[in-house]
Amino acid sequence: MKQIVIISGKGGTGKTTISSSFSELMNKRNIADCDVEAPNLHLMFENEIINTKEYIGSQTAIIDTEKCIKCEKCLECRFDAITPEIKVNPLKCEGCGLCEYVCPADAVKMVDNITGHVYSCKIKDGYLSYAKLNIGAEGAGKVVTEVRKNSLENQGFENLLIDGSPGIGCVVIASLTGCDYAVVVTEPTTSGLDDLSRVLELTQFFDIQSYIIINKYDINEEKTSEIIDYCKKSGFEILGKVPFDNTVNKAIQNECPIVNYDCPAGNEIKRIWDDFYDKLK
Amino acid sequence: MNISILSGKGGTGKTTISTNLSIFLSENHKNVSYFDFDVEEPNGFIFLKPGIETEKKVFKKVPKIDKELCTNCGECSKLCKFNAISITPNNSTVFEKLCHDCGLCYIACPVQAISEILREIGKIESGKSKDIPNLNAFRGVLNIGEPSGVPVISALKKFLDVNSINILDAPPGSSCSVINTVEDSDYSILVTEPTKFGLHDLKIAVEVLRYLNIPFGVLINKSDEFDFIIENYCENEKIDILGKIPFSRNIANKYSKGDILINSDVEFTKHLRDIASELEKRLIL
């Protein structure tokens, strides 16, 4: 199963528009929504949850106040997760276990944390996996790995399409590692070009063949040329340029991928997919 | 006074609001500072264009194992919850990027074979723009390939000035980076857009702020005929709407060039003024 990840450097560039469209155009679909902090792809497809897994991504310290002798050794915590009153702030606790180790009174216990849930859904002609993280959850990257594992269990699919997460940190790294192709969605803005170069450094670091889509290219054609020049110079192929199109917003309101509309943006994405699909073979 | 701006997800206009609001406030208040906490993709400086006057490197401590002293007993690797140390009968390896710098291995090593070394993971930059003399600008930048921005966020937080109005431009999402940024805020502005995606992510962000007990209001960006999606939710949940900024191609174009909108786009300026005065009603600025 070839793994294709769609990323963007940052949110709002149209990643979900592209990934929902690509999903729609695949004959048999196996999709992983790895934007675990703001999973939106399931909103675009009729889906039925067929399996829910609890995800334990970390541990949290709990202090038994009866056993605690107020020696304050646990205040050595480097994450300031223990207050001067010797109480644990669960949002700051990283579950390292230092407090448990140094406590002479055996008053600290590490307990498993349910940091989120991983869902498997049946959709038309395939499956969609996604996760919801609890607030402030540690180990978002690990949940991404779980979502991908979940999707890889589905048999008989040519490709796995992964909707990646924004940024360049652990969640994206977890979305990217081991993928065969990355499609980077960017927009012609000064910040877009900055984000693009940062995220391409990351895909190069992991040696993943990367392609570019410029979304809303006609918002600033001068910047679009800058992005094209940048890609030429750095040796990245541009799959296509999607025009700004008001139909996209309508499509989102109707929870329907844009390629189902006969409109400039939808038609260009269809062309991009056909072209890209040939490369995958 | 710390005012954080967050959105649940990227692309809603957090940076547009944060940078323009910072400039607007700096016109009326002496001490205003902008902080870009989106350390993975800091974009605020593209708009504020400050000259970088100071740069401070951010380091993280990682363990270094002295192979002469190490007995390969494996205690450190057994205790490390992050699988950052591997001990085999003849060798020891530290996976620096997995290390959370908790310090447990140093304490636990029975032969004191572990010391701490510093590893650079990012930097804090600060400066002032020539055009906006009253505004201080700070940002954190995470090095590429580094998994966690939290240490850079914590380092940046040390620059918050209690005597200043600090505008905190938060990272997207709802994970540890966001919590670390927005906690200790006096008020939060939640930027959203009137789509079902916007609503979905808004609900997650509201949960975060309620959990942290931070007062907040909602700002509808790219406002259009679908505003009711957000308005109905806010009404039911008794959430304040601070104001709206209509969708405009002119705004998108100016943004794309890295231009500031306040005082250059009449519509935007009017709406942002209204939002700022709503904010002033709620806070003593």
Side-chain angles (χ1 to χ4, degrees):
Chain A
M1 204 176 329
K2 289 219 174 92
Q3 299 187 47
I4 305 144
V5 64
I6 300 179
I7 47 172
S8 67
K10 89 182 274 153
T13 53
K15 197 163 44 66
T16 304
T17 298
I18 301 292
S19 47
S20 63
S21 293
F22 278 13
S23 313
E24 188 73 5
L25 296 167
M26 291 164 92
N27 289 331
K28 284 176 76 189
R29 333 185 238 181
N30 193 20
I31 311 162
D33 188 350
C34 288
D35 191 351
V36 294
E37 291 182 44
N40 286 150
L41 206 54
H42 64 285
L43 302 173
M44 297 295 277
F45 298 104
E46 259 183 56
N47 63 77
E48 182 202 340
I49 295 179
I50 50 173
N51 190 18
T52 305
K53 282 184 214 161
E54 277 183 352
Y55 182 68
I56 292 162
S58 64
Q59 291 190 313
T60 304
I62 287 183
I63 298 175
D64 183 338
T65 43
E66 306 235 316
K67 284 190 183 169
C68 174
I69 54 167
K70 306 263 180 225
C71 70
E72 300 192 345
K73 284 216 163 96
C74 55
L75 291 181
E76 269 185 66
C77 171
R78 292 200 176 166
F79 309 109
D80 297 323
I82 299 177
T83 64
E85 301 81 45
I86 321 288
K87 284 210 174 101
V88 178
N89 176 350
L91 281 184
K92 289 201 162 180
C93 176
E94 301 215 4
C96 70
L98 180 125
C99 51
E100 183 190 36
Y101 184 82
V102 297
C103 178
D106 198 23
V108 187
K109 282 237 138 36
M110 301 304 296
V111 294
D112 283 349
N113 256 342
I114 296 166
T115 40
H117 290 88
V118 179
Y119 303 96
S120 305
C121 307
K122 181 86 194 77
I123 55 173
K124 192 174 148 264
D125 303 320
Y127 298 97
L128 166 68
S129 297
Y130 72 100
K132 264 188 193 159
L133 271 185
N134 295 350
I135 291 169
E138 262 292 320
K142 286 198 263 177
V143 180
V144 167
T145 309
E146 279 308 304
V147 173
R148 286 181 61 184
K149 246 199 248 165
N150 218 27
S151 285
L152 287 169
E153 280 168 15
N154 298 326
Q155 301 286 320
F157 289 91
E158 233 179 303
N159 299 306
L160 168 62
L161 189 74
I162 300 166
D163 191 1
S165 19
I168 55 157
C170 60
V171 246
V172 189
I173 292 175
S175 305
L176 276 178
T177 39
C179 281
D180 301 281
Y181 303 98
V183 175
V184 187
V185 185
T186 184
E187 54 179 21
T189 64
T190 313
S191 47
L193 184 55
D194 200 40
D195 301 334
L196 177 68
S197 65
R198 278 169 76 78
V199 82
L200 285 174
E201 252 187 79
L202 197 65
T203 61
Q204 274 178 304
F205 181 83
F206 288 107
D207 204 16
I208 298 163
Q209 192 167 1
S210 309
Y211 297 94
I212 320 296
I213 294 176
I214 307 176
N215 195 18
K216 306 176 204 164
Y217 82 88
D218 46 351
I219 275 205
N220 186 338
E221 302 214 28
E222 210 177 299
K223 273 278 171 288
T224 295
S225 326
E226 261 181 61
I227 293 176
I228 294 172
D229 287 345
Y230 169 81
C231 291
K232 263 191 200 147
K233 240 189 265 158
S234 336
F236 293 103
E237 188 182 334
I238 294 174
L239 290 175
K241 302 184 299 180
V242 181
F244 178 86
D245 188 339
N246 276 323
T247 322
V248 172
N249 211 357
K250 209 188 290 167
I252 292 173
Q253 302 303 346
N254 295 330
E255 299 178 19
C256 182
I258 185 72
V259 285
N260 292 333
Y261 293 78
D262 180 15
C263 65
N267 294 338
E268 173 63 7
I269 295 172
K270 266 185 245 168
R271 190 202 62 71
I272 290 173
W273 170 254
D274 289 340
D275 191 25
F276 180 57
Y277 188 68
D278 284 338
K279 291 183 202 301
L280 297 177
K281 284 177 191 162
Chain B
M1 165 88 59
N2 298 335
I3 303 168
S4 53
I5 318 253
L6 77 164
S7 69
K9 82 173 275 150
T12 51
K14 243 183 318 56
T15 299
T16 305
I17 303 300
S18 315
T19 50
N20 285 289
L21 183 66
S22 298
I23 297 172
F24 180 78
L25 293 174
S26 76
E27 288 166 1
N28 302 308
H29 300 272
K30 262 198 198 128
N31 222 337
V32 180
S33 304
Y34 166 84
F35 288 86
D36 197 340
F37 278 95
D38 189 1
V39 300
E40 293 186 33
E41 303 288 5
N43 290 147
F45 277 27
I46 290 172
F47 302 93
L48 295 175
K49 302 178 182 70
I52 310 274
E53 287 152 21
T54 62
E55 186 186 305
K56 202 169 169 274
K57 288 178 175 162
V58 180
F59 296 94
K60 196 171 150 177
K61 284 186 210 147
V62 285
K64 185 172 188 284
I65 302 175
D66 184 332
K67 298 203 173 167
E68 302 268 302
L69 294 174
C70 176
T71 60
N72 298 318
C73 74
E75 186 68 7
C76 54
S77 121
K78 197 178 80 197
L79 286 168
C80 176
K81 294 268 201 305
F82 311 108
N83 304 317
I85 305 180
S86 151
I87 304 284
T88 51
N90 302 311
N91 207 358
S92 57
T93 316
V94 175
F95 303 104
E96 294 184 343
K97 289 190 177 170
L98 296 179
C99 173
H100 282 219
D101 182 19
C102 70
L104 182 52
C105 55
Y106 319 113
I107 297 177
C109 177
V111 293
Q112 280 86 50
I114 303 181
S115 57
E116 298 181 309
I117 52 167
L118 292 175
R119 199 168 65 83
E120 189 187 331
I121 58 152
K123 60 185 173 184
I124 308 290
E125 293 177 331
S126 70
K128 274 186 180 183
S129 143
K130 261 187 274 160
D131 309 331
I132 325 156
N134 271 342
L135 181 68
N136 305 302
F138 298 82
R139 72 167 175 183
V141 185
L142 180 69
N143 288 350
I144 311 256
E146 285 301 329
S148 173
V150 173
V152 179
I153 289 172
S154 305
L156 183 56
K157 279 203 123 176
K158 300 216 166 81
F159 290 87
L160 293 173
D161 177 357
V162 283
N163 299 314
S164 169
I165 299 172
N166 303 309
I167 302 293
L168 285 62
D169 190 354
S174 58
S175 70
C176 37
S177 301
V178 180
I179 304 276
N180 274 284
T181 302
V182 302
E183 58 175 1
D184 315 320
S185 295
D186 297 287
Y187 193 82
S188 276
I189 299 174
L190 235 166
V191 184
T192 186
E193 52 184 26
T195 66
K196 284 180 183 166
F197 290 175
L199 177 62
H200 179 258
D201 302 328
L202 173 66
K203 286 180 184 168
I204 298 173
V206 165
E207 232 186 293
V208 172
L209 292 173
R210 285 191 170 152
Y211 186 89
L212 294 171
N213 218 355
I214 298 169
F216 65 95
V218 162
L219 188 165
I220 304 179
N221 194 21
K222 305 179 199 172
S223 146
D224 62 20
E225 79 246 53
F226 297 107
D227 287 355
F228 65 88
I229 297 176
I230 306 296
E231 287 165 343
N232 291 350
Y233 165 75
C234 288
E235 201 185 310
N236 285 336
E237 290 286 322
K238 302 198 168 44
I239 295 168
D240 267 6
I241 294 180
L242 295 169
K244 296 178 183 184
I245 290 171
F247 175 81
S248 134
R249 209 174 155 116
N250 187 42
I251 292 178
N253 185 267
K254 280 209 161 121
Y255 171 89
S256 76
K257 292 187 205 151
D259 288 351
I260 270 307
L261 295 159
I262 191 97
N263 304 331
S264 77
D265 184 289
V266 179
E267 270 284 286
F268 180 90
T269 307
K270 179 184 156 296
H271 289 282
L272 194 77
R273 251 174 230 284
D274 292 346
I275 289 160
S277 77
E278 283 298 317
L279 191 64
E280 281 171 339
K281 268 189 230 161
R282 286 164 180 78
L283 302 162
I284 306 155
L285 293 182

